[in-house]
Every structure is written in C-alpha cells, then in structure tokens.
Amino acid sequence: MTGISTTEQLSATTLLRFATAGSVDDGKSTLVGRLLHDSKSVLTDQLEAVTQASLGRGQEAPDLALLTDGLRAEREQGITIDVAYRYFATARRRFILADTPGHVQYTRNMVTGASTAELAVVLVDARNGVVEQTRRHAAVAALLRVPHVVLAVNKMDLVEYAEPVFAAIAEEFTAYAASLGVPEITAIPISALAGDNVVEPSADMDWYGGPTVLEHLETVPVSHDLTGCHARFPVQYVIRPQTAEHPDYRGYAGQIAAGVFRVGESVTVLPSGRTTTIAGIDALGESVDIAWAPQSVTVRLADDIDVSRGDLLAPTDDAPAVTRDVGATVCHVADQPLSVGQRVLLKHTTRTVKAIVKDIPSRLTLDDLSQHPAPGRLVANDIGRVVVRTAEPLALDAYADSRRTGSFLLIDPADGTTLSAGMAGASFAEVALPGAGGGPANDDAEWDF
Amino acid sequence: MSTVTTVPEGTVNPYALSHLDSLESEAVHIFREVAGEFERPVILFSGGKDSILMLHLALKAFAPAPVPFALLHVDTGHNFPEVLEYRDRTVEKYGLRLLVASVQEYIDAGKLRERPDGTRNPLQTVPLTEAIQRHRFDAVFGGGRRDEEKARAKERVFSLRDEFSQWDPRRQRPELWQLYNGRHAAGEHVRVFPISNWTELDVWQYIERESIELPEIYFAHEREVFNRNGMWLTAGEWGGPKEHERTETRQVRYRTVGDMSCTGAVDSDATTLDSVITEIAASRLTERGATRADDKMSEAAMEDRKREGYF
C-alpha cells in the first residue's frame, strides 16, 4: 500500500493543552462557546440539549455557557465552580482546553488548569483594560511557567474597534507579564460575541494583521526542543515477568519527565548515587535507541543494582543534587490550612515521603505582588513561600528547569487531602537580559519573595 | 533561567509526539501509577471499545509481563451475544482473570427490581459497588471519557469514592501536573480513568493504528431492529418489541455497546475501520446523544447516577 490515509494524516497532528482565564464578566464562556461552536465542535444533539434547557429557563436564545457548566449546582447558580476539560479539533491540531473559573476565590482552579497547559488565554474587557484580576492571571501563568500567553482583548465591538484602545492594553499587559518572565505574549483584539478574530478574521479591524485566536492555537509550537533539557526519568514500576519466555527480564517502567535518553548512556540512580549504563529502551513493545519526554518507556540497565519505584535516573554528568530541604512556592488548594510545624506527605514524581513544614517565610498577594512576611499559615487559594524538611532525600530540580521534576504535592497524611501544589526554587523567572547566560534558578532573584 | 527553548516556527521538530502518541503515553503512565500505588486494582470490562482500548493500553504498559489486574464485567443480563463471546475469547487469549457481577442474579434474588421502562443500565450500580466491596478493590479502572458527557467532563482522572462508592463533585481533589493523589482510607476506593482525555475519534483512530480487534456489532451488518423513542433497538428476549412496535431488517452498526434495552444502533454502510472513522468524523451527533437512552432521562442523569456509584 502506498500513500497515507486520511486517518493517518489526522493522527499525525499534534496536541495542544491550553487553559483559559478570565473574570466572570469578561466573556470567557462566550469565547469558549464561540471556539467550540465556530470550529464546529458542538454537535447537534448537544446544541439541542442546550436549546431545550435554555427554553426551560425562559431564555430565548441558547445559552452557550450551558455547554460548559456540567454540574447541577453550576447550572442552578449560573456559575462555573470547577475546572472542566473540553476537547476539540481542527484539521491541523487537537486541543484539550482546561476551562477554569475566574472567581478570585478559585485561584486554585486556575493553578490546576495552568499546571498542564502549554498556553494560557487571559481575557480582558477592552472597556476596563488591565485590572487587578488580569495581573493575577498573568502572575499565575508566570508562576506556573506556562510557556505561551495569549492576551485576548475582548469586547472590541464596544469600543468601536479602536486600535489605540487595543494597543494601550496590549502594551501595558506585555510590559507587566514580561517583567514576571512570561517568555512569549501574543495580544489579539477580539469580540467573542460577534465572532471577530476568534475563528474568523474580523472585517472591522483591518488594522490588525496578526492571527485569529484559533489560528494562533493551531500554529504555536507545542513541543520544546528537549536536547537542551536535563534528562530525567522517574522510575514508576519494576517489570519482572519471571515467565519461561522472559526469565531474566528486569525493566524500569516510567514516563520520561524531561530530556532525551539513549542506549549506552551512563546514568546515575538517585538518591542512592549508583552509576550504570542503559542497556536497552523498550518503547511500549518496540526496542529503540533513543527516547524522549513525555514518552512512556521501559529502561533496562547493564548492572543488576537496586532500583525501585520513586528512584530517579539521570545522566551521570547531569544529575540533580539530592536534598532534604526544599524551598518552594506553594499554592494552597485545600480548605484546611497549612501551618508551620505541620507534618505532611510530599509527593514528588513517583516518590512520596514524610515531611514537616519548617517555615512559611512569606505570603504573596497576586494583585500587586506584595509580600507579607511570616503569615504562620496559608489558607485556601493563598500562594506563599514554604520551607519543607523531608524524611528522605529527594532528587529535585528547580521548577524553572523542569515543570515535571520541580513540582510536588503536599498531602495531609490523616485523610489524604491534597493540601498544596508546590514549585521548587524561585517563584518567577528572571527576565532574560541580552547577553545573560542561563544559570541555575536563583532564590534571591528580583521577583522572588 | 529556563533551559527550555522553543523550536523556531516552520521547522519540523523531530521530538514532537503525535496526538495519539501523547494520549497513549499519558494513559500508560496512569496504569503504571496505579500498579505502583495500589494493592488491589481491577479493570471494568464490558467488551465495548473503550474497555477494549483500556485493556490494550494495559497490555502495552506492562509488556512483556502480564497485566497485573483482573477484569470485572458488570453483566446486565441483556448483553449482545457477540460481545460476550468476544469477552470470553479475550480473557482466554491473554490469560486474564474475569469476575462477573450479574444484574440478573440480583433481580432473581429479589435484591433489585426491574424498572418499568426495562432499562437495566442504572441497575448496574448496586452489583458493581457490592463487587468492589466484596473483593476489596482499592482502584477501579473505568473507560469513561470526559468528552462523553458534561458531568464526566468534570471528573478527575483519579476520582475518590467513599465507602458507598459515591462521587461528590464538590469535594474533588484538584489534580495538578501529572501528580495523581491516590491516598484513600480503608473501605474507600479510587475510580481511575486513563482515557479521560481521549475523544471518540481518538479511540477509533488508535484502534485502527494498533489493529485492535473489536466485536462485530461495531461494523455495519443486517439486523432485526425496531424503533422505540427514536432509537433502533435490537429485538430480543430482553423485552422488545412490544405489540405495537414493528420489527424490520436494517443495515446498522453500534457506536457504543451497553445494555440492549437502551443502546441504539445507527444506520450505516461502514464495514471497515476506515469507513467507520469517516462516518464519525462527519457525524453531527455525539455517540451518547445518538444511541444512549439512559442519558436522556434528565439534564443531570449522568451526574445523579455517578453520585450513586455508577462509573
């Protein structure tokens, strides 16, 4: 057989995970509804169900927000309570959208959505410009190190599609986000209600020469060049068939967290520090010479050394230091507080260890990035610096270097509640200065607190 | 300073994963997390395409070792014979252990009462939750996808259930990065959805790519059906057609496989995977909207069933 079928072509497309952030009245639901609707991702029966429900509530037109509000309580109250994930596709790319509620009290939801996102769309009402909430969203995107940020200046129809209005907002936002270290910012003037520049280019803004929101989502690079990343492989599970066919097979299963691994490479097992060589890599049934993040593979080692779940394999010449003292920024996501002296569990990659909260040096106000020293505890939706001492050493990277091996959870050992989302090292990226080389994340960085 | 740099636009990135590879890698990661963290996991297996896909992913995740989980089938008693045959053949082929929780047995024992509408899907909840308690399963894999239904769109990949198997959407743990929190108290369990992020089309494309065998009812074939509430149901001993309902022979296929009493067929010419995918890509109906009666009962039907312990 020659040629490539339609199906193969479709499956060769890439996947973009992105998150939306916006205040209640910025039109986020309308934008999401518009993206789904205009990309023809809303199917007839879904639209019918929404139309029926809208009529039942006495509304004349179908309320597209009902497409996204999945819970009884959300529909009753007309608000979005929780993160929902939506799926849509174009010929060029598949999308997973983390639809996060914009309420101030739901910072944890934006953190949840942003943690897996490669792009964040921050919505601004063109009439109001950059407000506190906008700065908060930019700060969360910067804190979580979302690689791409889109500023969608919405409701352009209500400011007569005026370029100077857009330009002023874009400039103010870009300056602020760049100061936090957001690496790439794209500003797009839109009207979600009228459909301007969401999927179709606007006829009323011929002064704008950039992409529509969808076009940008379709073309933004999703995979990063991994050759420059520190290679990291957290061991998830040991595969030992002990069958007649495979009496001696011993493989270490896991998902490559960052970088590239090659057969023949010298690797160090952490935290033990033992060194060996990669004898083989099995990529889900196929033997390969090279594998990279985020592939799930099974690694075989040349020497029969003690390796188990929770260990980390790293190139011998590029292994992280192990530590029991973790300095990090956390977003507190539980209703019960986090206090100095509290005993917790810390889950880092595939390893869960006992830990104690030694100090909470500061709490951050996202509105103006001001810090409040020694708050004693953090409550739901607080973001703060913590110092945690662990019972066993961890091979931890700075979050700035790896979102995967620099992140962790704090868990309540009593009831298993996820207490906090942690990011090791400095909070915000330093802005790259011309000529400045890369270096380890600096805890005393200007934007740290 | 981040060492992550983006590839300039217009160049081909040799390290980019296709969307199917990304989804596969994520699902395998989830299977292995559960194997590493739980004592007694089980895979819910109905013989439908989503559970067949899950089994395929589990086989790949642990190869060359066998899948370290048993299968649990909640048998409504109104299953398609082709699906049961497929189930048994698959279990045999991979040397798996199959447990069956039977709705019919519960009805015969007087522990469940047949509904007036004859639908048995909601009746699965009790046999399912009791089987989980009896076998003390602490992780239960389900093939639920978030694109299926709006309540499912809100569910986590790791979904904690209490001792009554209940889901409380307001008390879900935030799920951050790929750090799944599986902590639970004795008696509680976690429902795990490795294919949460797959869409119907992804499932079909992956099935084609991996040449996964499916029960024949997924492909167009001639079948005796009758129309009830706008759906083509298969005539059979389960209770259809009724006197006023007329049977006819149509060329149909199924998009989902569930209880015969509430799973409808769609008119179709698609006899191959390629043509099924073409039909689905062009369809203006969701698979549940097209063929599942149980979701049409009310706006919150799925949410309500899930709260009670349904998967």
Side-chain angles (χ1 to χ4, degrees):
Chain A
M1 220 176 89
T2 54
I4 180 166
S5 75
T6 329
T7 326
E8 279 168 314
Q9 250 165 2
L10 277 170
S11 47
T13 58
T14 50
L15 187 63
L16 177 74
R17 293 171 197 246
F18 73 107
T20 52
S23 311
V24 183
D25 298 320
D26 286 346
K28 188 173 66 67
S29 291
T30 317
L31 173 64
V32 172
R34 176 65 64 186
L35 267 176
L36 296 175
H37 186 265
D38 288 7
S39 66
K40 303 190 169 49
S41 303
V42 180
L43 299 182
T44 311
D45 57 314
Q46 291 172 318
L47 203 56
E48 257 170 34
V50 165
T51 308
Q52 284 301 322
S54 304
L55 286 174
R57 287 175 172 73
Q59 293 160 318
E60 279 174 20
D63 179 358
L64 287 181
L66 292 175
L67 279 172
T68 55
D69 289 342
L71 300 175
R72 199 181 270 281
E74 291 177 324
R75 289 189 294 274
E76 282 164 5
Q77 298 171 37
I79 57 157
T80 315
I81 293 170
D82 204 345
V83 183
Y85 294 88
R86 325 249 157 244
Y87 304 83
F88 66 101
T90 66
R92 298 163 90 170
R93 190 168 267 180
R94 302 302 182 91
F95 301 96
I96 299 178
L97 159 58
D99 187 8
T100 66
H103 286 265
V104 177
Q105 64 268 39
Y106 297 124
T107 300
R108 61 182 169 201
N109 285 335
M110 188 183 163
V111 170
T112 300
S115 74
T116 50
E118 295 197 67
L119 179 146
V121 179
V122 175
L123 249 92
V124 170
D125 185 327
R127 296 168 302 174
N128 305 330
V130 173
V131 294
E132 271 182 17
Q133 184 79 325
T134 318
R135 281 192 287 273
R136 209 173 286 140
H137 292 146
V140 171
L143 192 63
L144 272 288
R145 294 175 197 265
V146 179
H148 308 277
V149 171
V150 172
L151 172 73
V153 181
N154 191 24
K155 307 196 183 181
M156 286 301 292
D157 52 321
L158 301 182
V159 294
E160 287 154 1
Y161 296 108
E163 180 177 16
V165 175
F166 168 73
I169 296 170
E171 194 183 328
E172 186 183 350
F173 181 86
T174 304
Y176 182 76
S179 74
L180 297 174
V182 172
E184 192 194 278
I185 301 142
T186 305
I188 305 175
I190 67 166
S191 166
L193 196 67
D196 292 291
N197 289 338
V198 178
V199 173
E200 302 295 334
S202 171
D204 294 304
M205 291 183 273
D206 50 12
W207 46 265
Y208 173 73
T212 65
V213 174
L214 186 66
E215 206 179 322
H216 182 65
L217 293 174
E218 282 182 318
T219 52
V220 73
V222 284
S223 292
H224 297 101
D225 180 3
L226 299 163
T227 48
C229 295
H230 308 290
R232 301 288 185 258
F233 183 76
V235 175
Q236 259 190 305
Y237 189 76
V238 183
I239 294 178
R240 285 178 63 211
Q242 294 178 292
T243 53
E245 203 185 335
H246 302 281
D248 302 318
Y249 187 96
R250 189 183 177 88
Y252 302 100
Q255 187 174 26
I256 298 175
V260 179
F261 284 91
R262 291 177 177 84
V263 173
E265 187 175 6
S266 171
V267 288
T268 296
V269 183
L270 297 168
S272 76
R274 289 191 186 85
T275 291
T276 182
T277 307
I278 296 180
I281 302 175
D282 298 326
L284 305 182
E286 190 190 340
S287 184
V288 294
D289 294 330
I290 180 171
W292 58 89
Q295 290 181 322
S296 278
V297 296
T298 307
V299 170
R300 286 175 284 116
L301 299 177
D303 300 296
D304 202 8
I305 55 176
D306 180 19
V307 181
S308 58
R309 175 173 169 82
D311 287 343
L312 184 87
L313 301 185
T316 302
D317 57 7
D318 184 25
V322 295
T323 181
R324 288 178 57 201
D325 295 296
V326 181
T329 301
V330 300
C331 174
H332 193 67
V333 295
D335 290 330
Q336 64 228 58
L338 182 78
S339 308
V340 173
Q342 193 170 334
R343 287 179 187 278
V344 294
L345 294 171
L346 187 154
K347 182 171 172 121
H348 169 246
T349 65
T350 55
R351 193 174 187 84
T352 303
V353 298
K354 288 182 183 173
I356 186 162
V357 180
K358 297 295 278 188
D359 191 15
I360 302 180
S362 58
R363 182 171 59 79
L364 174 78
T365 301
L366 280 180
D367 306 339
D368 57 1
L369 299 178
S370 64
Q371 47 178 307
H372 304 265
R377 60 179 211 163
L378 299 174
V379 299
N381 299 300
D382 276 355
I383 288 173
R385 291 291 296 174
V386 298
V387 178
V388 177
R389 172 92 171 155
T390 61
E392 295 165 48
L394 293 177
L396 195 82
D397 285 295
Y399 186 76
D401 288 337
S402 167
R403 291 171 90 188
R404 192 118 186 198
T405 52
S407 58
F408 61 85
L409 303 180
L410 296 182
I411 295 169
D412 187 335
D415 62 4
T417 303
T418 299
L419 296 170
S420 308
M423 290 152 277
S427 305
F428 294 101
E430 283 176 274
V431 184
L433 298 168
N442 184 354
D443 254 320
D444 303 311
E446 190 190 343
W447 278 110
D448 201 28
F449 55 94
Chain B
M1 236 352 262
S2 171
T3 51
V4 176
T5 49
T6 54
V7 173
E9 223 167 314
T11 58
V12 177
N13 181 355
Y15 297 114
L17 291 190
S18 75
H19 85 279
L20 286 182
D21 285 330
S22 304
L23 293 171
E24 178 189 61
S25 176
E26 177 183 67
V28 164
H29 172 73
I30 294 162
F31 272 109
R32 290 165 166 180
E33 277 300 282
V34 171
E37 297 241 312
F38 291 82
E39 296 287 325
R40 296 174 66 85
V42 71
I43 300 177
L44 290 177
F45 189 82
S46 66
K49 67 178 188 312
D50 296 314
S51 52
I52 291 169
L53 171 68
M54 279 209 299
L55 179 59
H56 180 86
L57 290 163
L59 286 162
K60 287 187 98 166
F62 300 102
V67 174
F69 317 120
L71 303 184
L72 172 64
H73 181 211
V74 184
D75 184 343
T76 64
H78 290 163
N79 284 295
F80 293 92
E82 300 93 325
V83 175
L84 291 181
E85 186 272 327
Y86 179 95
R87 176 195 78 182
D88 294 337
R89 193 154 42 82
T90 304
V91 165
E92 176 81 27
K93 182 174 169 189
Y94 297 111
L96 299 161
R97 195 160 66 94
L98 174 74
L99 302 158
V100 179
S102 160
V103 171
Q104 189 64 53
E105 279 175 26
Y106 273 73
I107 292 171
D108 294 345
K111 289 197 272 185
L112 276 179
R113 200 190 311 172
E114 197 89 72
R115 298 161 51 101
D117 62 7
T119 294
R120 285 188 170 182
N121 250 25
L123 300 185
Q124 292 182 91
T125 302
V126 172
L128 167 66
T129 56
E130 290 194 6
I132 291 169
Q133 296 303 327
R134 191 166 59 249
H135 294 281
R136 290 181 288 114
F137 292 127
D138 53 3
V140 181
F141 288 103
R145 306 190 321 265
R146 290 183 182 135
D147 80 319
E148 279 179 277
E149 209 278 337
K150 53 189 182 294
R152 282 206 167 146
K154 293 277 173 179
E155 183 143 18
R156 303 288 185 253
V157 173
F158 272 39
S159 176
L160 183 66
R161 301 296 179 101
D162 67 11
E163 59 194 306
F164 303 104
S165 292
Q166 295 179 119
W167 182 59
D168 184 349
R170 288 199 162 222
R171 297 201 51 214
Q172 299 194 89
R173 290 171 180 163
E175 212 153 64
L176 298 132
W177 298 286
Q178 288 80 12
L179 292 168
Y180 302 106
N181 176 0
R183 306 285 297 187
H184 61 284
E188 295 176 341
H189 71 276
V190 175
R191 296 282 171 88
V192 183
F193 301 100
I195 59 167
S196 285
N197 287 326
W198 297 53
T199 65
E200 183 188 16
L201 197 54
D202 297 330
V203 170
W204 280 104
Q205 287 181 350
Y206 187 78
I207 284 170
E208 187 189 44
R209 186 183 95 170
E210 302 280 307
S211 306
I212 301 170
E213 190 202 338
L214 291 182
E216 294 143 31
I217 66 170
Y218 279 113
F219 302 98
H221 56 287
E222 301 254 302
R223 183 176 277 270
E224 290 271 288
V225 291
F226 65 92
N227 199 297
R228 182 180 289 174
N229 302 326
M231 287 198 316
W232 294 111
L233 299 181
T234 292
E237 285 174 14
W238 59 268
K242 289 181 181 154
E243 276 167 32
H244 63 281
E245 292 165 330
R246 210 163 38 81
T247 325
E248 54 184 288
T249 304
R250 296 180 80 90
Q251 179 162 310
V252 295
R253 69 177 172 84
Y254 283 84
R255 284 175 74 173
T256 66
V257 162
D259 189 281
M260 286 171 92
S261 62
C262 64
T263 308
V266 292
D267 288 316
S268 171
D269 299 321
T271 53
T272 63
L273 277 170
D274 222 27
S275 51
V276 167
I277 293 167
T278 308
E279 265 190 22
I280 289 166
S283 172
R284 299 303 302 152
L285 290 177
T286 64
E287 60 180 338
R288 290 199 159 258
T291 64
R292 290 300 267 268
D294 43 336
D295 292 337
K296 294 182 177 171
M297 289 174 190
S298 82
E299 208 183 332
M302 177 69 89
E303 179 181 346
D304 293 344
R305 270 183 294 148
K306 284 166 70 65
R307 281 174 180 275
E308 287 165 18
Y310 191 78
F311 45 89

